[in-house]
Amino acid sequence: MLDLRQDFFALFGLTPAFSIDMDRLEQAYLDIQGRVHPDRFAHLSDAEKRLSMQWATHANEAFRTLKSPLTRGHYLLELRGVDPAFDTNTAMSSEFLMEQMEWREALGEARDAADEDTLEELSRRIRHSTKTLVEQLAAQLDESGDLEGAADSVRRLKFLEKLQHEINDALTALES
């Protein structure tokens, strides 16, 4: 049925690239899930049920990985032999670090003041920065082959994603 050793792009019949057709990814995922869903194997042996569960789990993991720009970029770097070193390489430009500190300070102040408007504006700025960084990452991985720059962009995306989650949590707390 499926080869669990296939990379995630091959699993869905996609070219290994950062820029992918998301509709095609989703359709390929749904096709695979239709073939391997454990319910289709309910009447078979325990071994076949377990295998079906492995295939479904692999397809789910592959879909989640390729759907997100952060995890897709990270995965592509790994396929190309580059570790973005999230835990050990925290070197960022002073400009990026200053911007992060300003955003975190603004987040803290807005959270403490229960200032929904400021939180929304900060969220908008983070989304804009994320969009710009995703476009940069696409160019680095698909056009220039700048793997070192791409690893830096992936680390930056991780920072922005975490900050966006914190903003979302603060907004959710205000709504309750």
Side-chain angles (χ1 to χ4, degrees):
M1 195 177 255
L2 293 178
D3 181 354
L4 295 175
R5 296 168 303 197
Q6 277 183 315
D7 73 63
F8 293 163
F9 292 97
L11 177 67
F12 295 123
L14 300 170
T15 302
F18 185 78
S19 300
I20 58 174
D21 181 338
M22 297 306 283
D23 290 335
R24 186 171 167 205
L25 170 65
E26 188 166 343
Q27 187 56 55
Y29 169 71
L30 293 173
D31 290 346
I32 288 172
Q33 280 298 338
R35 288 186 291 160
V36 302
H37 195 277
D39 289 348
R40 294 193 64 190
F41 294 79
H43 64 285
L44 299 177
S45 71
D46 286 345
E48 289 169 307
K49 288 177 192 176
R50 276 192 303 280
L51 191 54
S52 142
M53 184 61 74
Q54 288 177 329
W55 289 328
T57 300
H58 184 68
N60 287 338
E61 178 186 0
F63 181 69
R64 278 191 308 273
T65 297
L66 297 185
K67 188 175 178 183
S68 160
L70 173 61
T71 54
R72 184 171 62 249
H74 186 191
Y75 184 69
L76 270 168
L77 286 169
E78 287 180 341
L79 287 178
R80 296 173 185 178
V82 176
D83 178 6
F86 289 129
D87 298 327
T88 57
N89 187 346
T90 56
M92 299 280 173
S93 72
S94 57
E95 177 185 303
F96 182 76
L97 292 175
M98 287 301 293
E99 188 175 48
Q100 285 293 304
M101 289 185 347
E102 290 170 10
W103 284 343
R104 291 209 172 277
E105 185 177 319
L107 170 59
E109 290 172 1
R111 186 184 309 134
D112 292 345
D115 185 344
E116 186 174 351
D117 291 338
T118 300
L119 288 168
E120 291 287 354
E121 173 59 22
L122 187 56
S123 178
R124 186 195 62 72
R125 289 173 45 207
I126 299 300
R127 285 191 312 269
H128 175 74
S129 291
T130 298
K131 181 179 183 275
T132 301
L133 197 52
V134 165
E135 291 167 357
Q136 177 181 316
L137 182 57
Q140 291 165 325
L141 288 169
D142 294 347
E143 297 167 21
S144 70
D146 178 9
L147 299 182
E148 186 176 317
D152 182 63
S153 293
V154 166
R155 286 190 299 273
R156 289 172 186 244
L157 267 178
K158 188 165 176 90
F159 273 102
L160 293 178
E161 186 175 276
K162 183 177 180 193
L163 185 59
Q164 186 65 60
H165 284 298
E166 291 175 25
I167 294 167
N168 292 345
D169 290 345
L171 285 166
T172 300
L174 287 178
E175 292 173 0
S176 2

